[in-house]
Amino acid sequence: MFEVQSSLALVLTIVLFVVKLVALVDCVARGDAKFVAVGTWPRTTWLVVLGLTVAVHAIDWNPLGLLNLVGTVAALVYLAQLRGSS
């Protein structure tokens, strides 16, 4: 039973890390005009927030830690705002 739980936690950790990386890469590749058009935070702010979320997740692999949960929400909000409006 513990092996299944451990495997699920590892899969969840990797999936959430990939989501944060995708958001960061998308933010790096996207131009400033899209952020203005959507009416969200400036690109620089998103780069700092998403960069910090990736760094925190790389240091602390617990997907249910407070900072990781906040980072996951930030990445999902970014993806919903910017990728969802494409």
Side-chain angles (χ1 to χ4, degrees):
M1 182 67 177
F2 179 72
E3 295 169 3
V4 173
Q5 184 180 9
S6 179
S7 297
L8 288 175
L10 179 62
V11 168
L12 179 65
T13 298
I14 292 170
V15 167
L16 293 179
F17 188 69
V18 168
V19 167
K20 292 172 186 174
L21 277 177
V22 166
L24 180 61
V25 169
D26 182 76
C27 187
V28 168
R30 195 171 294 276
D32 289 330
K34 183 68 174 182
F35 293 87
V36 174
V38 171
T40 185
W41 287 344
R43 180 173 179 252
T44 307
T45 304
W46 275 117
L47 285 171
V48 169
V49 169
L50 295 172
L52 286 173
T53 64
V54 169
V56 166
H57 198 115
I59 293 169
D60 178 19
W61 277 86
N62 178 12
L64 299 178
L66 180 62
L67 290 177
N68 274 333
L69 288 174
V70 170
T72 299
V73 169
L76 292 174
V77 166
Y78 170 82
L79 290 171
Q81 284 182 342
L82 276 292
R83 297 281 299 181
S85 65
S86 298

Coordinates of all heavy atoms in Angstrom, one line a residue:
M1 N 0.8 -1.2 0.0 CA 0.0 0.0 0.0 C 0.9 1.3 0.0 O 0.6 2.2 -0.7 CB -0.9 0.0 1.2 CG -1.9 1.1 1.3 SD -3.0 1.1 -0.1 CE -4.0 2.5 0.3
F2 N 1.9 1.2 0.8 CA 2.8 2.4 0.9 C 3.5 2.7 -0.5 O 3.7 3.8 -0.8 CB 3.8 2.2 2.0 CG 4.8 3.4 2.1 CD1 4.4 4.6 2.6 CD2 6.1 3.3 1.7 CE1 5.2 5.7 2.7 CE2 7.0 4.3 1.8 CZ 6.5 5.5 2.3
E3 N 3.8 1.6 -1.2 CA 4.5 1.8 -2.5 C 3.6 2.5 -3.5 O 4.0 3.3 -4.3 CB 4.9 0.4 -3.0 CG 6.0 -0.3 -2.2 CD 6.2 -1.7 -2.6 OE1 5.5 -2.2 -3.5 OE2 7.0 -2.4 -1.9
V4 N 2.3 2.1 -3.5 CA 1.3 2.8 -4.4 C 1.2 4.2 -4.0 O 1.2 5.1 -4.9 CB -0.1 2.1 -4.3 CG1 -1.1 2.8 -5.1 CG2 0.0 0.6 -4.8
Q5 N 1.1 4.5 -2.7 CA 0.9 5.9 -2.3 C 2.2 6.7 -2.6 O 2.1 7.9 -3.1 CB 0.7 6.0 -0.8 CG 0.5 7.3 -0.2 CD 0.2 7.3 1.3 OE1 0.4 6.3 1.9 NE2 -0.2 8.4 1.8
S6 N 3.3 6.1 -2.5 CA 4.6 6.8 -2.8 C 4.7 7.0 -4.3 O 5.2 8.1 -4.7 CB 5.8 5.9 -2.3 OG 7.0 6.5 -2.6
S7 N 4.3 6.1 -5.1 CA 4.3 6.2 -6.5 C 3.4 7.3 -7.0 O 3.7 8.1 -7.9 CB 4.0 4.9 -7.2 OG 4.9 3.9 -6.9
L8 N 2.2 7.4 -6.4 CA 1.2 8.4 -6.8 C 1.7 9.8 -6.4 O 1.6 10.8 -7.2 CB -0.1 8.2 -6.1 CG -0.9 7.0 -6.7 CD1 -2.2 6.8 -5.8 CD2 -1.3 7.3 -8.1
A9 N 2.4 9.9 -5.3 CA 3.0 11.2 -4.8 C 4.1 11.6 -5.8 O 4.2 12.8 -6.1 CB 3.5 11.1 -3.4
L10 N 4.9 10.7 -6.2 CA 5.9 11.0 -7.2 C 5.4 11.4 -8.5 O 5.8 12.4 -9.1 CB 6.8 9.8 -7.4 CG 8.0 10.0 -8.4 CD1 8.9 11.1 -7.9 CD2 8.7 8.7 -8.6
V11 N 4.3 10.8 -9.0 CA 3.7 11.2 -10.3 C 3.1 12.6 -10.1 O 3.3 13.4 -11.0 CB 2.7 10.1 -10.7 CG1 1.8 10.6 -11.8 CG2 3.3 8.8 -11.1
L12 N 2.4 12.8 -9.0 CA 1.8 14.1 -8.8 C 2.9 15.2 -8.8 O 2.7 16.3 -9.3 CB 1.0 14.1 -7.5 CG 0.3 15.4 -7.1 CD1 -0.7 15.8 -8.1 CD2 -0.3 15.3 -5.7
T13 N 4.0 14.9 -8.1 CA 5.1 15.9 -8.0 C 5.6 16.2 -9.4 O 5.8 17.4 -9.7 CB 6.2 15.3 -7.1 OG1 5.7 15.1 -5.8 CG2 7.4 16.3 -7.0
I14 N 5.9 15.2 -10.2 CA 6.4 15.4 -11.5 C 5.5 16.2 -12.4 O 5.8 17.1 -13.1 CB 6.9 14.1 -12.1 CG1 8.1 13.5 -11.3 CG2 7.2 14.3 -13.6 CD1 8.4 12.1 -11.7
V15 N 4.2 15.8 -12.4 CA 3.2 16.5 -13.2 C 3.1 18.0 -12.8 O 3.0 18.8 -13.7 CB 1.8 15.8 -13.1 CG1 0.7 16.6 -13.7 CG2 1.9 14.4 -13.7
L16 N 3.0 18.3 -11.5 CA 2.9 19.7 -11.1 C 4.2 20.5 -11.4 O 4.1 21.6 -11.8 CB 2.6 19.7 -9.6 CG 1.2 19.2 -9.2 CD1 1.0 19.3 -7.7 CD2 0.1 19.9 -10.0
F17 N 5.3 19.8 -11.4 CA 6.6 20.5 -11.7 C 6.6 20.8 -13.2 O 7.0 21.9 -13.6 CB 7.8 19.6 -11.4 CG 9.1 20.3 -11.6 CD1 9.5 21.3 -10.7 CD2 10.0 19.9 -12.5 CE1 10.7 22.0 -10.9 CE2 11.2 20.5 -12.7 CZ 11.6 21.6 -11.9
V18 N 6.1 19.9 -14.0 CA 6.0 20.1 -15.5 C 5.0 21.2 -15.8 O 5.3 22.1 -16.7 CB 5.7 18.8 -16.2 CG1 5.3 19.0 -17.7 CG2 6.8 17.8 -16.1
V19 N 3.9 21.3 -15.1 CA 3.0 22.4 -15.3 C 3.6 23.7 -15.0 O 3.5 24.7 -15.8 CB 1.7 22.2 -14.4 CG1 0.9 23.4 -14.4 CG2 0.9 21.0 -14.9
K20 N 4.4 23.8 -14.0 CA 5.1 25.0 -13.6 C 6.1 25.4 -14.7 O 6.3 26.5 -15.1 CB 5.7 24.9 -12.2 CG 4.6 24.9 -11.1 CD 5.3 24.6 -9.8 CE 4.2 24.3 -8.8 NZ 4.7 23.9 -7.5
L21 N 6.8 24.4 -15.2 CA 7.9 24.6 -16.2 C 7.2 25.1 -17.5 O 7.7 26.0 -18.1 CB 8.7 23.4 -16.4 CG 9.8 23.1 -15.5 CD1 10.5 21.7 -15.9 CD2 10.9 24.2 -15.6
V22 N 6.1 24.5 -17.9 CA 5.4 24.9 -19.1 C 4.9 26.3 -19.0 O 5.1 27.1 -19.9 CB 4.2 24.0 -19.4 CG1 3.3 24.5 -20.4 CG2 4.7 22.6 -19.8
A23 N 4.4 26.7 -17.8 CA 4.0 28.1 -17.6 C 5.2 29.1 -17.7 O 5.1 30.1 -18.4 CB 3.3 28.2 -16.3
L24 N 6.3 28.7 -17.1 CA 7.5 29.5 -17.2 C 8.0 29.7 -18.6 O 8.3 30.8 -19.1 CB 8.6 29.0 -16.2 CG 9.9 29.8 -16.2 CD1 9.6 31.3 -15.7 CD2 10.9 29.1 -15.3
V25 N 8.1 28.6 -19.3 CA 8.6 28.6 -20.7 C 7.7 29.4 -21.6 O 8.1 30.2 -22.4 CB 8.8 27.2 -21.2 CG1 9.0 27.2 -22.7 CG2 9.9 26.5 -20.5
D26 N 6.4 29.3 -21.4 CA 5.4 30.0 -22.1 C 5.5 31.5 -21.9 O 5.5 32.3 -22.8 CB 4.0 29.6 -21.8 CG 2.9 30.3 -22.6 OD1 2.8 30.0 -23.8 OD2 2.3 31.2 -22.1
C27 N 5.8 31.9 -20.6 CA 5.9 33.3 -20.2 C 7.2 33.9 -20.9 O 7.2 35.0 -21.3 CB 6.0 33.4 -18.7 SG 5.9 35.1 -18.1
V28 N 8.2 33.1 -20.9 CA 9.5 33.6 -21.5 C 9.3 33.8 -23.0 O 9.8 34.8 -23.6 CB 10.6 32.6 -21.3 CG1 11.8 32.9 -22.1 CG2 11.0 32.5 -19.8
A29 N 8.5 32.9 -23.7 CA 8.3 33.0 -25.1 C 7.3 34.0 -25.6 O 7.3 34.4 -26.7 CB 7.9 31.6 -25.6
R30 N 6.4 34.4 -24.7 CA 5.3 35.3 -25.0 C 5.7 36.8 -25.0 O 6.5 37.2 -24.1 CB 4.1 35.1 -24.1 CG 2.8 35.6 -24.5 CD 1.7 35.2 -23.6 NE 1.4 33.8 -23.7 CZ 0.7 33.2 -24.6 NH1 0.1 33.9 -25.6 NH2 0.5 31.9 -24.6
G31 N 5.2 37.6 -25.9 CA 5.6 39.0 -26.0 C 4.8 39.8 -25.0 O 3.7 39.4 -24.4
D32 N 5.3 41.0 -24.7 CA 4.7 41.9 -23.7 C 3.3 42.3 -24.1 O 2.4 42.6 -23.3 CB 5.5 43.1 -23.5 CG 6.8 42.8 -22.7 OD1 6.8 41.9 -21.9 OD2 7.8 43.5 -23.0
A33 N 3.0 42.4 -25.4 CA 1.7 42.9 -25.9 C 0.6 42.0 -25.4 O -0.5 42.5 -25.2 CB 1.7 43.0 -27.4
K34 N 0.8 40.7 -25.4 CA -0.3 39.8 -25.0 C -0.7 40.1 -23.5 O -1.9 40.0 -23.2 CB 0.2 38.4 -25.2 CG -0.8 37.3 -24.8 CD -2.0 37.4 -25.9 CE -2.9 36.2 -25.6 NZ -4.0 36.2 -26.6
F35 N 0.2 40.4 -22.7 CA -0.1 40.7 -21.3 C -1.0 41.9 -21.1 O -1.9 41.9 -20.3 CB 1.2 40.8 -20.4 CG 2.0 39.5 -20.3 CD1 2.9 39.2 -21.3 CD2 1.8 38.6 -19.3 CE1 3.6 38.0 -21.2 CE2 2.5 37.5 -19.2 CZ 3.4 37.1 -20.2
V36 N -0.6 42.9 -21.9 CA -1.4 44.1 -21.9 C -2.8 43.9 -22.5 O -3.8 44.3 -21.9 CB -0.7 45.2 -22.7 CG1 -1.6 46.5 -22.9 CG2 0.6 45.6 -22.1
A37 N -2.9 43.1 -23.5 CA -4.2 42.8 -24.2 C -5.1 42.0 -23.3 O -6.3 42.3 -23.2 CB -4.0 42.0 -25.5
V38 N -4.5 41.1 -22.5 CA -5.3 40.3 -21.6 C -5.7 41.1 -20.3 O -6.7 40.9 -19.7 CB -4.6 39.0 -21.2 CG1 -5.3 38.2 -20.1 CG2 -4.4 38.1 -22.4
G39 N -4.9 42.1 -20.0 CA -5.1 42.9 -18.8 C -4.7 42.2 -17.5 O -5.3 42.3 -16.5
T40 N -3.6 41.5 -17.5 CA -3.1 40.8 -16.4 C -1.8 41.5 -15.9 O -1.4 42.5 -16.4 CB -2.9 39.3 -16.7 OG1 -2.5 38.6 -15.5 CG2 -1.8 39.1 -17.8
W41 N -1.1 40.9 -14.9 CA 0.2 41.4 -14.5 C 1.1 41.5 -15.6 O 1.0 40.8 -16.6 CB 0.8 40.4 -13.5 CG 0.1 40.4 -12.1 CD1 -0.7 41.3 -11.6 CD2 0.4 39.4 -11.1 NE1 -1.1 40.9 -10.3 CE2 -0.4 39.7 -10.0 CE3 1.1 38.2 -11.1 CZ2 -0.5 38.9 -8.9 CZ3 1.1 37.4 -10.0 CH2 0.3 37.8 -8.9
P42 N 2.1 42.5 -15.5 CA 3.1 42.6 -16.5 C 3.9 41.3 -16.7 O 4.0 40.5 -15.7 CB 4.0 43.7 -16.1 CG 3.2 44.4 -15.0 CD 2.2 43.4 -14.4
R43 N 4.6 41.2 -17.8 CA 5.4 40.0 -18.1 C 6.5 39.8 -17.1 O 6.7 38.6 -16.6 CB 6.0 40.1 -19.5 CG 6.8 38.9 -19.9 CD 7.2 39.1 -21.4 NE 8.0 38.0 -21.8 CZ 9.3 38.1 -22.0 NH1 9.9 39.2 -21.9 NH2 10.0 37.0 -22.4
T44 N 7.1 40.9 -16.7 CA 8.2 40.8 -15.7 C 7.7 40.2 -14.4 O 8.4 39.4 -13.8 CB 8.8 42.2 -15.4 OG1 9.2 42.7 -16.7 CG2 10.1 42.1 -14.6
T45 N 6.6 40.6 -13.9 CA 6.0 40.1 -12.7 C 5.7 38.6 -12.8 O 6.1 37.8 -11.9 CB 4.7 40.8 -12.3 OG1 5.0 42.2 -12.2 CG2 4.2 40.4 -11.0
W46 N 5.1 38.2 -13.9 CA 4.9 36.8 -14.1 C 6.2 36.0 -14.2 O 6.2 34.9 -13.6 CB 4.0 36.5 -15.4 CG 2.6 36.7 -15.1 CD1 1.8 37.6 -15.7 CD2 1.7 35.9 -14.3 NE1 0.5 37.4 -15.2 CE2 0.4 36.4 -14.4 CE3 2.0 34.8 -13.4 CZ2 -0.6 35.8 -13.7 CZ3 0.9 34.3 -12.7 CH2 -0.4 34.8 -12.9
L47 N 7.2 36.5 -14.8 CA 8.5 35.8 -14.9 C 9.1 35.6 -13.5 O 9.6 34.5 -13.2 CB 9.5 36.6 -15.7 CG 9.3 36.5 -17.2 CD1 10.2 37.5 -17.9 CD2 9.5 35.1 -17.7
V48 N 9.0 36.6 -12.6 CA 9.5 36.5 -11.2 C 8.7 35.4 -10.5 O 9.2 34.5 -9.8 CB 9.5 37.8 -10.5 CG1 9.8 37.6 -9.0 CG2 10.5 38.8 -11.2
V49 N 7.4 35.5 -10.5 CA 6.5 34.6 -9.8 C 6.7 33.2 -10.3 O 6.9 32.2 -9.5 CB 5.0 35.0 -9.9 CG1 4.1 33.9 -9.4 CG2 4.8 36.3 -9.2
L50 N 6.7 33.0 -11.6 CA 6.8 31.6 -12.1 C 8.2 31.1 -11.9 O 8.4 29.9 -11.6 CB 6.4 31.6 -13.6 CG 4.9 31.9 -13.9 CD1 4.7 32.0 -15.3 CD2 4.0 30.8 -13.2
G51 N 9.2 31.9 -12.0 CA 10.6 31.5 -11.7 C 10.7 31.0 -10.3 O 11.4 30.0 -10.0
L52 N 10.1 31.8 -9.4 CA 10.2 31.4 -8.0 C 9.5 30.1 -7.7 O 9.9 29.3 -6.9 CB 9.6 32.5 -7.1 CG 10.5 33.7 -6.9 CD1 9.8 34.8 -6.2 CD2 11.8 33.4 -6.2
T53 N 8.3 29.9 -8.4 CA 7.6 28.7 -8.1 C 8.4 27.4 -8.6 O 8.4 26.4 -8.0 CB 6.2 28.7 -8.8 OG1 6.4 28.8 -10.2 CG2 5.4 29.8 -8.3
V54 N 9.0 27.6 -9.7 CA 9.9 26.5 -10.3 C 11.0 26.2 -9.3 O 11.4 25.1 -9.0 CB 10.3 26.7 -11.7 CG1 11.4 25.7 -12.1 CG2 9.2 26.7 -12.7
A55 N 11.7 27.3 -8.8 CA 12.8 27.1 -7.9 C 12.4 26.5 -6.6 O 13.1 25.6 -6.1 CB 13.4 28.5 -7.7
V56 N 11.3 26.9 -6.1 CA 10.8 26.3 -4.8 C 10.4 24.8 -5.0 O 10.8 24.0 -4.2 CB 9.5 27.1 -4.3 CG1 8.8 26.3 -3.2 CG2 10.0 28.4 -3.8
H57 N 9.8 24.5 -6.1 CA 9.4 23.1 -6.4 C 10.7 22.3 -6.6 O 10.7 21.1 -6.2 CB 8.5 23.0 -7.6 CG 7.8 21.7 -7.6 ND1 6.4 21.6 -7.5 CD2 8.2 20.4 -7.8 CE1 6.1 20.3 -7.6 NE2 7.2 19.6 -7.8
A58 N 11.7 22.8 -7.2 CA 13.0 22.1 -7.4 C 13.7 21.8 -6.1 O 14.3 20.8 -5.9 CB 13.9 22.9 -8.3
I59 N 13.5 22.7 -5.1 CA 14.1 22.5 -3.8 C 13.3 21.6 -2.9 O 13.8 20.7 -2.3 CB 14.3 23.9 -3.1 CG1 15.4 24.7 -3.9 CG2 14.7 23.7 -1.7 CD1 15.4 26.1 -3.5
D60 N 12.0 21.8 -2.9 CA 11.1 21.0 -2.0 C 10.1 20.2 -2.9 O 9.2 20.8 -3.5 CB 10.3 22.0 -1.1 CG 9.3 21.3 -0.2 OD1 9.4 20.1 0.0 OD2 8.4 22.0 0.3
W61 N 10.3 18.9 -3.0 CA 9.5 18.1 -3.9 C 8.2 17.6 -3.3 O 7.5 16.8 -3.8 CB 10.3 16.9 -4.3 CG 11.2 17.2 -5.4 CD1 12.5 17.8 -5.4 CD2 11.0 17.1 -6.8 NE1 13.0 18.0 -6.6 CE2 12.1 17.5 -7.5 CE3 9.9 16.6 -7.5 CZ2 12.1 17.6 -8.9 CZ3 9.9 16.6 -8.9 CH2 11.0 17.1 -9.6
N62 N 7.8 18.2 -2.1 CA 6.5 17.8 -1.5 C 5.4 18.6 -2.3 O 5.3 19.8 -2.1 CB 6.5 18.2 0.0 CG 5.2 17.9 0.6 OD1 4.3 17.3 0.0 ND2 5.0 18.4 1.8
P63 N 4.6 18.0 -3.1 CA 3.6 18.7 -3.9 C 2.5 19.3 -3.0 O 1.8 20.2 -3.5 CB 3.0 17.6 -4.8 CG 3.2 16.4 -4.0 CD 4.5 16.5 -3.3
L64 N 2.4 18.9 -1.8 CA 1.3 19.4 -0.9 C 1.8 20.4 0.1 O 1.1 20.8 1.0 CB 0.6 18.3 -0.2 CG -0.1 17.3 -1.1 CD1 -0.8 16.2 -0.3 CD2 -1.1 18.0 -2.0
G65 N 3.1 20.8 0.0 CA 3.6 21.9 0.8 C 3.0 23.2 0.5 O 2.5 23.4 -0.7
L66 N 2.9 24.1 1.4 CA 2.2 25.4 1.3 C 2.8 26.2 0.1 O 2.0 26.6 -0.8 CB 2.3 26.2 2.5 CG 1.6 27.6 2.5 CD1 0.1 27.4 2.2 CD2 1.8 28.4 3.7
L67 N 4.1 26.3 0.0 CA 4.6 27.1 -1.1 C 4.4 26.5 -2.5 O 4.2 27.1 -3.5 CB 6.1 27.4 -0.9 CG 6.4 28.3 0.3 CD1 7.9 28.5 0.5 CD2 5.8 29.7 0.0
N68 N 4.5 25.1 -2.5 CA 4.2 24.4 -3.7 C 2.8 24.6 -4.2 O 2.5 24.7 -5.4 CB 4.6 23.0 -3.6 CG 6.1 22.7 -4.0 OD1 6.7 23.5 -4.7 ND2 6.7 21.7 -3.4
L69 N 1.9 24.5 -3.2 CA 0.4 24.7 -3.6 C 0.2 26.1 -4.1 O -0.5 26.3 -5.1 CB -0.4 24.4 -2.4 CG -0.6 23.0 -2.0 CD1 -1.4 22.8 -0.7 CD2 -1.2 22.1 -3.1
V70 N 0.8 27.1 -3.5 CA 0.6 28.5 -3.9 C 1.2 28.6 -5.3 O 0.7 29.3 -6.2 CB 1.3 29.5 -2.9 CG1 1.4 30.9 -3.5 CG2 0.5 29.5 -1.6
G71 N 2.4 28.0 -5.6 CA 3.0 28.1 -6.9 C 2.2 27.4 -7.9 O 2.1 27.8 -9.1
T72 N 1.6 26.3 -7.6 CA 0.7 25.6 -8.5 C -0.5 26.4 -8.9 O -0.8 26.5 -10.1 CB 0.2 24.2 -7.9 OG1 1.4 23.4 -7.6 CG2 -0.7 23.5 -8.9
V73 N -1.1 27.1 -7.9 CA -2.2 27.9 -8.2 C -1.8 29.1 -9.1 O -2.5 29.4 -10.1 CB -2.8 28.5 -6.9 CG1 -3.8 29.6 -7.2 CG2 -3.5 27.3 -6.1
A74 N -0.6 29.7 -8.8 CA -0.1 30.8 -9.7 C 0.1 30.3 -11.1 O -0.3 31.0 -12.1 CB 1.2 31.3 -9.1
A75 N 0.7 29.1 -11.3 CA 1.0 28.6 -12.6 C -0.3 28.3 -13.4 O -0.5 28.6 -14.6 CB 1.8 27.4 -12.6
L76 N -1.3 27.8 -12.7 CA -2.6 27.5 -13.3 C -3.4 28.8 -13.6 O -4.0 28.9 -14.7 CB -3.4 26.6 -12.4 CG -2.9 25.2 -12.2 CD1 -3.7 24.4 -11.1 CD2 -2.9 24.4 -13.5
V77 N -3.3 29.8 -12.8 CA -3.9 31.1 -13.1 C -3.2 31.7 -14.3 O -3.9 32.2 -15.2 CB -3.8 32.0 -11.9 CG1 -4.1 33.5 -12.3 CG2 -4.7 31.6 -10.8
Y78 N -1.9 31.6 -14.4 CA -1.2 32.2 -15.6 C -1.7 31.4 -16.8 O -2.0 32.1 -17.8 CB 0.3 32.0 -15.4 CG 1.0 32.3 -16.7 CD1 1.3 33.6 -17.1 CD2 1.4 31.3 -17.6 CE1 2.0 33.9 -18.3 CE2 2.0 31.5 -18.8 CZ 2.3 32.8 -19.1 OH 2.9 33.1 -20.3
L79 N -1.7 30.1 -16.8 CA -2.1 29.3 -17.9 C -3.5 29.6 -18.3 O -3.8 29.7 -19.5 CB -1.8 27.8 -17.7 CG -0.4 27.4 -17.6 CD1 -0.3 26.0 -17.1 CD2 0.3 27.6 -18.9
A80 N -4.4 29.8 -17.4 CA -5.8 30.0 -17.7 C -6.0 31.4 -18.3 O -6.7 31.6 -19.3 CB -6.6 29.9 -16.4
Q81 N -5.2 32.4 -17.8 CA -5.4 33.8 -18.4 C -4.7 33.9 -19.7 O -5.3 34.4 -20.6 CB -4.7 34.8 -17.4 CG -5.5 35.0 -16.2 CD -4.9 36.1 -15.3 OE1 -3.7 36.4 -15.4 NE2 -5.7 36.7 -14.4
L82 N -3.5 33.5 -19.8 CA -2.7 33.7 -21.1 C -2.9 32.7 -22.1 O -3.1 33.0 -23.3 CB -1.2 33.9 -20.7 CG -0.8 35.3 -20.2 CD1 -0.9 36.3 -21.3 CD2 -1.4 35.7 -19.0
R83 N -2.9 31.4 -21.8 CA -3.0 30.4 -22.7 C -4.5 30.2 -23.1 O -4.8 29.9 -24.2 CB -2.5 29.0 -22.2 CG -1.0 29.0 -21.9 CD -0.2 28.8 -23.1 NE -0.5 27.5 -23.8 CZ 0.1 27.1 -24.9 NH1 1.1 27.8 -25.4 NH2 -0.2 26.0 -25.4
G84 N -5.4 30.4 -22.2 CA -6.8 30.3 -22.4 C -7.3 31.4 -23.4 O -8.3 31.2 -24.0
S85 N -6.6 32.5 -23.5 CA -7.1 33.6 -24.3 C -6.5 33.5 -25.7 O -6.7 34.4 -26.5 CB -6.8 34.9 -23.6 OG -5.4 35.1 -23.6
S86 N -5.6 32.6 -26.0 CA -5.0 32.5 -27.3 C -6.0 32.1 -28.4 O -6.8 31.3 -28.2 CB -3.9 31.4 -27.2 OG -2.9 31.9 -26.3

